[in-house]
Every structure is written in structure tokens, then in C-alpha cells.
Amino acid sequence: MSHLVSTLHLYNIANVKRVVADLSLCNTHSQVLAFTGPSELADCLKDMNVMVIPAGVPRKHGMTRNTVNSTVPIAAQVLKKKGVYDPKKLFGVTTLDVVRANTFISRKKKLKHIIVDVPVIGGHAGITILPIFSKTKPSASLTDEEFQELTVSDSECWN
């Protein structure tokens, strides 16, 4: 989110394209690039000051993401206890859903992404993600068709 970051390279032994796609939604001018496997590691590290390495395994059919919902609040409490909490430096699945909702609304309504704020409540798994479009700032009304497109359970927006 810092204006000092112009390029962000992500590396993993498995595909990181989804992570790159999600981070590319952040309201910043930074370029986000994916690097996968040992053959791309040198290119990933070239001229980099900071690198994010996603870990874990891709979600399989039937698996949910709900347990990760507690990660950010737990991390926030640990950082607060240590006296080093900065909400601008802690991102997680809740932030991702907010960024996604902000992006969808800004694109649909042709608004500057940086000014859009859509509150999101609920979990981080399909139908448990609840963007509160009626509370969007600046106010942006959706047609029934737009609302349906952004909220249907099998929508690519949230999966």
C-alpha cells in the first residue's frame, strides 16, 4: 500500500497467479508479478528489496477458508501486546474481500478506486462473504442486474 513500492514480486514453488491477481486489486500503482518454481527464482530476486512468499496448499474442492478468518485478529492482538501494531501493515482475508468489493464497485460505477469503500462482514467463503453495498461510500446504487451479478453464490467475484 506504500507509494514507495513500485514493483512486488511473488514467488512460490507452486502457482501464485491467484495471489498476484488478488494483490493486483489493491488500490495502488504497484505492479505485481508472479514467479513460480526454481527456474524463476533468480528473476524474482533481481533488484528486489522486499519479497512476499505465499505458503500453504491450494484449496481443494469442498475445502473452506473459514479458519483463516481468525488469523488477522489473532495477529493483531499479538502485535498490540508487543506494542508494534500498525493496521496499515497487517493484511488478510478480510482486507482481500473489502478490496475486491471496492474494485467491483469502482469498475461498475466508473469511480476512482481510491475513494471507494464498501464494508464487508461475514466469513471468507463464498456465501458467507457479505458486502454491504447499501453503505458504500461514495453512495453508489446498483441495478438489480448489477446486484445479482456481484452477489450470486457461484460468482467468480468471490471465489
Side-chain angles (χ1 to χ4, degrees):
M1 298 300 290
S2 172
H3 69 281
L4 300 173
V5 177
S6 59
T7 306
L8 180 65
H9 288 187
L10 273 64
Y11 171 84
N12 199 353
I13 57 170
N15 191 340
V16 294
K17 289 182 181 172
R18 181 62 188 232
V19 176
V20 168
D22 288 340
L23 287 176
S24 295
L25 298 175
C26 290
N27 55 345
T28 177
H29 295 288
S30 299
Q31 179 184 26
V32 184
L33 301 171
F35 295 86
T36 305
S39 65
E40 295 183 6
L41 182 57
D43 288 336
C44 180
L45 296 173
K46 186 177 181 185
D47 300 323
M48 288 294 106
N49 296 315
V50 176
M51 184 172 63
V52 175
I53 304 172
V57 296
R59 198 167 27 100
K60 293 177 175 55
H61 181 70
M63 291 173 66
T64 66
R65 301 175 274 198
N66 285 333
T67 57
V68 299
N69 292 346
S70 59
T71 305
V72 172
I74 290 170
Q77 291 306 313
V78 169
L79 294 171
K80 285 177 185 177
K81 198 170 194 174
K82 298 286 185 183
V84 294
Y85 176 68
D86 182 347
K88 293 180 181 177
K89 293 184 178 180
L90 180 61
F91 291 86
V93 294
T94 304
T95 303
L96 172 60
D97 292 333
V98 169
V99 168
R100 283 177 171 168
N102 291 349
T103 299
F104 303 145
I105 292 295
S106 65
R107 288 179 181 166
K108 284 277 180 214
K109 296 303 176 181
K110 297 180 178 27
L111 297 169
K112 289 183 180 180
H113 189 251
I114 195 89
I115 66 166
V116 176
D117 182 30
V118 180
V120 178
I121 61 172
H124 180 66
I127 62 171
T128 66
I129 302 168
L130 301 171
I132 311 300
F133 293 123
S134 63
K135 298 294 182 185
T136 298
K137 292 181 184 172
S139 181
S141 59
L142 296 171
T143 66
D144 289 345
E145 183 178 308
E146 289 171 327
F147 184 80
Q148 183 69 16
E149 184 181 325
L150 293 176
T151 59
V152 293
S153 63
D154 63 347
S155 173
E156 285 298 311
C157 296
W158 306 102
N159 294 318

